[in-house]
Amino acid sequence: MGLPQDPNNPPNPITLFPLPPPASPEPRFSRLQVPMWTAHKARFIERYLYYFVLVTKHGTYIDGFAGPQQPDDPEMWTARRVLESEPRWFRHFYLFDSSPAQVACLQALQQAQRPPDRTKKEPRRTIHIQQGDFNSLVGGLLHSAPFSQREAVFCLIDQRTFECHWATLEALARYRTAGYKIELLYFVPVAWLGRALANQQELQVIQQWCGDGTTGSACDRCASGIVWNYGN
Ligand SMILES: C[S@@+](CC[C@H](N)C(=O)[O-])C[C@H]1O[C@@H](n2cnc3c(N)ncnc32)[C@H](O)[C@@H]1O
């Protein structure tokens, strides 16, 4: 609900503090040397999952697009940060990537893991790595029902732009109908979405990404709007 407004005195556009008039011409800045969003994203997810396991004391982590965005900077790699974050209470990891080179990075990460520290009562872990299209593999994962109904499950969908199909999200979201659902963290590329939509040549890619708007929910209507705009 918005704040009550005086129709005779409409508010100015809201800013947190007074801004100076815009400079003209606008100053130019060089590109950031470090991909800050990638670093913040990895740190944010690690921190979020730190609190997650403090509550649950256990958990399963699924990462559908798990290979490193910056292979030369492992600090920015979410899967690595989650695997190595303390306390090590996540018990099961399901890591997917379509690229063989990225899967090799995941396997090296798996090899580098230390055994559980029994003095800290750390549980034994399983790390499953699969190469392939997560959209095709997610059905098999859910069908094999590897986690009990009581298991706390977190799934990261860290796509670049349009890689994760809407049907994949639906399958994950609908997997549990009672109790705790699979917790989903879904990356939407707001910063470059307009540009990516404008450059995407294939309508089918957009349709798979946001659904084709055929089933009638609010989100489907939004999806059909995107597809309609794009198609026209
Ligand atoms: C944005 S990167 C993931 C970044 C990673 N989460 C990190 O923290 O550095 C996207 C990854 O998804 C992989 N990928 C692209 N399409 C895929 C698909 N259909 N299924 C699974 N992985 C895919 C790419 O190879 C890439 O490694």
Side-chain angles (χ1 to χ4, degrees):
M1 197 170 70
L3 293 171
Q5 286 179 12
D6 175 356
N8 300 320
N9 187 16
N12 289 324
I14 298 166
T15 55
L16 278 178
F17 40 80
L19 294 174
S24 181
E26 281 194 7
R28 295 179 69 83
F29 297 99
S30 55
R31 258 175 90 96
L32 289 171
Q33 297 302 304
V34 179
M36 275 174 52
W37 291 116
T38 306
H40 288 325
K41 180 177 65 186
R43 219 171 292 138
F44 166 75
I45 295 167
E46 179 207 313
R47 211 60 206 152
Y48 184 88
L49 292 177
Y50 165 77
Y51 293 114
F52 183 95
V53 288
L54 287 193
V55 173
T56 62
K57 310 278 192 284
H58 75 278
T60 289
Y61 174 81
I62 304 171
D63 193 331
F65 303 80
Q69 180 138 297
Q70 304 284 330
D72 51 339
D73 192 343
E75 283 300 297
M76 296 190 196
W77 187 7
T78 310
R80 176 179 175 270
R81 292 189 74 117
V82 174
L83 266 163
E84 296 182 358
S85 122
E86 307 268 346
R88 296 190 178 211
W89 291 345
F90 269 108
R91 291 188 297 220
H92 307 295
F93 292 80
Y94 294 87
L95 310 176
F96 298 84
D97 204 287
S98 57
S99 148
Q102 295 288 70
V103 166
C105 294
L106 289 166
Q107 286 164 339
L109 177 65
Q110 180 180 27
Q111 295 299 319
Q113 295 308 297
R114 65 164 173 77
D117 182 343
R118 289 304 186 189
T119 64
K120 292 190 193 162
K121 296 197 168 76
E122 288 177 353
R124 215 189 316 238
R125 286 183 150 178
T126 60
I127 304 174
H128 309 264
I129 298 169
Q130 240 184 310
Q131 191 224 316
D133 179 356
F134 183 58
N135 301 296
S136 311
L137 298 173
V138 71
L141 172 69
L142 297 177
H143 196 68
S144 67
F147 17 82
S148 72
Q149 283 295 320
R150 295 177 61 82
E151 175 88 0
V153 184
F154 177 94
C155 177
L156 174 63
I157 304 286
D158 190 10
Q159 60 189 336
R160 276 207 182 101
T161 309
F162 298 131
E163 290 82 3
C164 183
H165 299 174
W166 193 253
T168 299
L169 278 181
E170 284 186 324
L172 288 158
R174 291 186 175 150
Y175 176 69
R176 278 186 185 151
T177 50
Y180 295 117
K181 301 184 101 180
I182 295 179
E183 189 155 333
L184 286 165
L185 202 153
Y186 175 75
F187 175 79
V188 182
V190 175
W192 59 90
L193 187 56
R195 185 161 31 100
L197 283 166
N199 288 334
Q200 180 51 249
Q201 304 291 313
E202 292 178 49
L203 180 59
Q204 195 199 1
V205 171
I206 309 294
Q207 279 173 325
Q208 284 177 326
W209 174 68
C210 65
D212 61 5
T214 51
T215 56
S217 71
C219 203
D220 287 330
R221 283 200 292 282
C222 168
S224 64
I226 292 179
V227 169
W228 190 87
N229 281 326
Y230 178 80
N232 291 283

